[in-house]
Amino acid sequence: MKTDELREKYLDFFVSKGHTRRPSDVLVPRSDPSVLFTPAGMNQFKDHFLGRCKLDFTRATTCQKCLRTGDIENVGRTAYHHTFFEMLGNFSFGDYFKRDAIAWAWEFLTRKEWLGLDPERLSVTVYLDDDEAAEIWARDIKLPPAKIRRLDEDENFWPASAPSQGPDGVCGPCSEIYYHPAGGQSVEIWNLVFTQFNRVGTPPNNLRPLPSKNIDTGMGLERTAAVLQGVETNFHIDILRPIVAAAAEVCGLDYDPASDSGRRLRRITDHVRACTFAIHENVRPGANKENYVIRRLLRRAVLDGHQIGLREPFLHRLVPAVAEMMGKPYPELGETVERVASVIRDEEKRFFSSIDDGLARIESILKTIRRENRNEVLGREAADVYTTHGVPPELFESLAAEHNVAFDWEGFRREMEHHGVLSGGGVVVDVFSSDPLDGLAKVLPATRFLGYETSEAEAKVVALLARRELCDQVDELAHDEPVTVVLDQTPFYGESGGQVGDIGALVGGGVEFDVIDTQKQRGFVLHRGHLRRGQLKLGGVLTARVDTERRQGIRRAHSATHLLHFALQKHLGEHAQQQGSKVDRDWLRFDFRNPQAVTPAELATIEREVNERVALGAAIEWSELPIADARRAGAMMLFGEKYPDIVRMVSMGGFSRELCGGTHLDSTGQVGLFKIVGEESVAAGIRRITAHTGAAAVRTVQEQEALLRELSQLLKATPADLPQRVSAIMKEARELKKQAGAAPQAPQASVEQLLATAEDVGGTKLVVAEVPGANAGVLRQQIDQLRKKAAPIAVLLATREADKVLLVAGISRDLEAQGVSAIEWVRSPASVVGGSGGGRADMAQAGGKHPDRLPQALTEARDAARRLLAAGGRV
Ligand code: ATP
Ligand code: MG
């Protein structure tokens, strides 16, 4: 059975059992801080399991895109582990329980019209104490006792070992289904989790039955396909084998499954698939969190290619194969092949440029370790390899492991923290953590948001958090650290979708609470701030008052952001899609895709377009509608963004439609003025525009005007003449610099050479010479040096420039004291070349228009010197 068919069969089967088919959640759930990547099918239903949201259905089935970094080391080595894989699942929220879950799993696996697996080849495990499940397998399904194994809490409980080790919260036993192929390796294909307890504290008697029991199952799509297709590893199923083959081709190898390179090809296949899905959802390789995971996967695959012998980027060439193989369920991958490939190529290039040095460094470190009889890579060594050569520590660790050398993670982290570059790479797969908000989430509904309609409302305090603990009251004196207040409803906007949180006050009944920030988590709006007066109490009623002036500035910036997005798409093209944004009071930052810098002319057009839309005073409206309708209406949607079934669509005058939860103006006209203040690069292919709105935009324009005025006054030019004036000044400065700077670098005739030509005129040295290629500055300097070296001395130097000639004459102080004048001297030869001169008595200069007459001029200079010196009494 083909994998695509298996996926559909599973979903069809559970639809036939009354389940609602739901789409996969995104791979990177940005709304859930407890995980970097979706690790299982159940994650998107956390709130359903906790009864925290309205249940439109109590049975659901999905095929979920998952990524588990915990399995990285297994990839390529075991037959059945991937990082990215698909998990089929069926879920019950307080509806059916163990009996149906087990019966349906068996029916689907063994019935001819479904998978038709041989029951003889299946076995199951149950949790040690779970008699109920064991009995269903034995009595209802009629499995022989030998096929039902009872395992401990570390194997058959979810979360693993929860009863003894926690965490507190929802948990339950599970039952795994294994397949045993003829002569092959057994494989766990399906795990049925029976969440029936709430764990409270340590054993004994810490597992309380939940009032409403849930089912959460996960079947590995690739593993089950491998079983059905009778292949020995997941990598040989119909949707993966062609990617392995493409990898082999790109690497110039024949795929030999048992070889070392076979293992590397499988790893390359896995990692490029994971990277393709993640980058498609706009996760770029980077230094932190999910970005780091992708960098690590990508570099690991590149390292495999390198060790096969490749020296050029290759991984990106596999993206089309991935998009094709995964195209049936995920046709959207086809739309981003080029972008994904180019992101991968850039990262590959970067890594290839440092990989040889990195590996050489690792080799030398390992050599040192052997020499020093150590058995561990020091944190310092690993940190150095990572920061200078970009080799991820995990790669170093596995290279070291091949030499039986351990890796000091503790030391590595310390070292990185010391450098301030800790990467936060690990994945927290702790689904129900012990965050106090999670506890709250079980008992309280999400905060009702009133901020679209009003900026002030009465509300009840439903939770108080101080020092990360829930409390019943907060007193005035205990307010040095910020306190968090949760209300049943609020006009305060909690930071999300790029829009900053509101500030303001909670007042009433003697309470004055300054809200300094508002956040949104787990559906709650968290008002963070300081209690100035009174006492906060659970159940107390307060008036929540948003700082409306600031909020209005935020609304202007947010509506302008949509206008900017519209203008970018119109003038740069549809590729100019939003990559991120930050919206603050009359200030916005917008990141979007564009291959190169936006030119000043384009920026001007975009700014004009936005301001024209502002001047239109178009109505801004919003409505809530099913996601499919919004798509039909042409609302912009982004890959990797999770949208609920009912979305909020913000439209402006029929030209802009975006899905957005932010607070907006009533009319585009209220933006007032939109002024771009910056354009820059944030990453390869991503640009950032920063802009101001409203009063801030006016202020920006006024400041620029004031600056212009000041410049005009300084430079004595009208603003319109400024460019010309400044370029003239710059030209002058350049020339002066040239003159001043040229002399020491290029003496055309050395001072010694000149001195050697001196003739003696009654005890005074006389130097008259042409210095080709010099300028006035050079000549003056040479004269100065000659005067220092020999006195009394009279020097006249000349140089020719195209159609001009330059003469500089200088005499030593003693001659000047005797009444000899350089001005007088220079005039005689100057008259020969058609010029006249001027300057000081000890140094004078003249220009002439007849360079051809220079030789005669120099003869005249000598004669004139003799005359003057004689007159001065020297001869
Ligand atoms: P294993 O012990 O084999 O790693 P698991 O106990 O971690 O599996 P579960 O968390 O129960 O697996 O996930 C449910 C199902 O998802 C498994 O039965 C298996 O079929 C599949 N699965 C889990 N991890 C992977 C993986 N890394 N690659 C492919 N399939 C997986
Ligand atoms: Mg596992």
Side-chain angles (χ1 to χ4, degrees), residues 98 114 132 154 159 258 538 575 633 762:
K98 277 180 209 180
W114 300 105
E132 188 187 358
D154 59 336
L538 275 189
H575 66 273

Side-chain angles (χ1 to χ4, degrees), residues 68 70-71 74 81 188 223:
R68 290 188 177 183
D71 282 329
N74 288 327
H81 284 94
E188 174 197 327
R223 289 187 187 183

Side-chain angles (χ1 to χ4, degrees), residues 68 71 80-83 85 87 176 188-191 218-220 222-223 234:
R68 290 188 177 183
D71 282 329
Y80 298 118
H81 284 94
H82 307 287
T83 54
F85 66 100
M87 191 186 286
E176 295 171 337
E188 174 197 327
I189 52 174
W190 203 346
N191 190 3
M219 171 193 264
E222 295 85 349
R223 289 187 187 183
N234 286 5

Side-chain angles (χ1 to χ4, degrees), residues 127-184:
Y127 174 54
L128 226 46
D129 295 348
D130 193 357
D131 295 334
E132 188 187 358
E135 217 176 279
I136 297 171
W137 282 116
R139 273 217 209 122
D140 296 12
I141 310 296
K142 307 205 166 26
L143 271 190
K147 287 190 177 291
I148 307 171
R149 276 187 304 154
R150 290 194 184 228
L151 297 179
D152 211 343
E153 61 171 31
D154 59 336
E155 284 286 341
N156 274 42
F157 214 88
W158 186 91
S161 304
S164 63
Q165 288 163 32
D168 277 354
V170 176
C171 61
C174 59
S175 179
E176 295 171 337
I177 305 176
Y178 282 76
Y179 185 81
H180 308 274

Side-chain angles (χ1 to χ4, degrees), residues 403-643:
H403 293 83
N404 283 326
V405 172
F407 190 91
D408 177 16
W409 275 105
E410 205 37 68
F412 172 76
R413 279 199 194 98
R414 241 191 340 266
E415 198 65 27
M416 294 299 278
E417 254 162 36
H418 183 66
H419 286 101
V421 282
L422 189 70
S423 56
V427 179
V428 198
V429 193
D430 179 5
V431 180
F432 293 103
S433 68
S434 52
D435 187 320
L437 285 181
D438 286 323
L440 268 191
K442 285 172 209 161
V443 291
L444 284 184
T447 313
R448 215 154 73 82
F449 179 59
L450 311 171
Y452 296 134
E453 293 90 13
T454 179
S455 57
E456 183 172 327
E458 299 252 293
K460 198 164 82 190
V461 178
V462 292
L464 291 166
L465 273 150
R467 297 196 180 83
R468 290 187 53 78
E469 292 201 359
L470 291 171
C471 44
D472 294 341
Q473 68 178 55
V474 174
D475 295 316
E476 187 184 338
L477 288 177
H479 71 247
D480 47 335
E481 266 182 57
V483 172
T484 298
V485 182
V486 184
L487 303 170
D488 60 343
Q489 53 179 14
T490 184
F492 280 74
Y493 185 84
E495 175 162 355
S496 52
Q499 181 176 328
V500 293
D502 281 324
I503 65 170
L506 308 178
V507 295
V511 168
E512 277 175 31
F513 184 86
D514 283 350
V515 180
I516 55 167
D517 181 33
T518 309
Q519 290 290 322
K520 197 169 151 188
Q521 260 182 49
R522 310 283 281 123
F524 297 121
V525 176
L526 310 175
H527 307 80
R528 276 167 32 88
H530 299 284
L531 182 60
R532 297 291 175 215
R533 250 165 53 116
Q535 188 186 52
L536 283 168
K537 267 201 212 126
L538 275 189
V541 173
L542 298 170
T543 303
R545 201 174 284 149
V546 174
D547 176 336
T548 48
E549 227 176 276
R550 179 169 175 277
R551 161 72 82 75
Q552 192 66 6
I554 297 170
R555 292 171 75 194
R556 281 192 290 269
H558 204 152
S559 293
T561 303
H562 288 209
L563 294 177
L564 173 62
H565 196 188
F566 163 77
L568 287 170
Q569 298 243 317
K570 177 167 166 187
H571 295 286
L572 298 182
E574 274 181 24
H575 66 273
Q577 273 186 7
Q578 172 165 2
Q579 292 295 290
S581 74
K582 174 105 193 190
V583 174
D584 207 324
R585 179 181 197 167
D586 277 327
W587 179 95
L588 64 99
R589 191 178 77 196
F590 191 78
D591 299 348
F592 56 99
R593 215 171 276 128
N594 203 45
Q596 69 270 326
V598 186
T599 66
E602 286 168 331
L603 280 179
T605 309
I606 288 159
E607 190 178 81
R608 211 175 317 119
E609 176 78 46
V610 172
N611 281 303
E612 276 164 17
R613 303 282 156 174
V614 170
L616 275 181
I620 300 179
E621 283 154 338
W622 59 271
S623 55
E624 285 181 339
L625 68 174
I627 179 103
D629 294 356
R631 186 168 289 144
R632 226 170 290 124
M636 281 194 230
M637 288 186 203
L638 307 171
F639 295 124
E641 202 64 44
K642 178 173 165 108
Y643 297 107

Side-chain angles (χ1 to χ4, degrees), residues 299 350-351 354-355 357-359 361 384-391:
R299 292 191 172 194
R350 205 168 303 149
F351 190 46
S354 63
I355 194 172
D357 290 347
L359 290 177
R361 178 94 184 87
D384 176 56
V385 168
Y386 178 49
T387 47
T388 22
H389 306 291
V391 180

Side-chain angles (χ1 to χ4, degrees), residues 112-133:
K112 284 278 169 294
E113 63 270 39
W114 300 105
L115 300 193
L117 291 176
D118 177 0
E120 289 299 313
R121 301 220 159 273
L122 294 168
S123 79
V124 303
T125 64
V126 297
Y127 174 54
L128 226 46
D129 295 348
D130 193 357
D131 295 334
E132 188 187 358

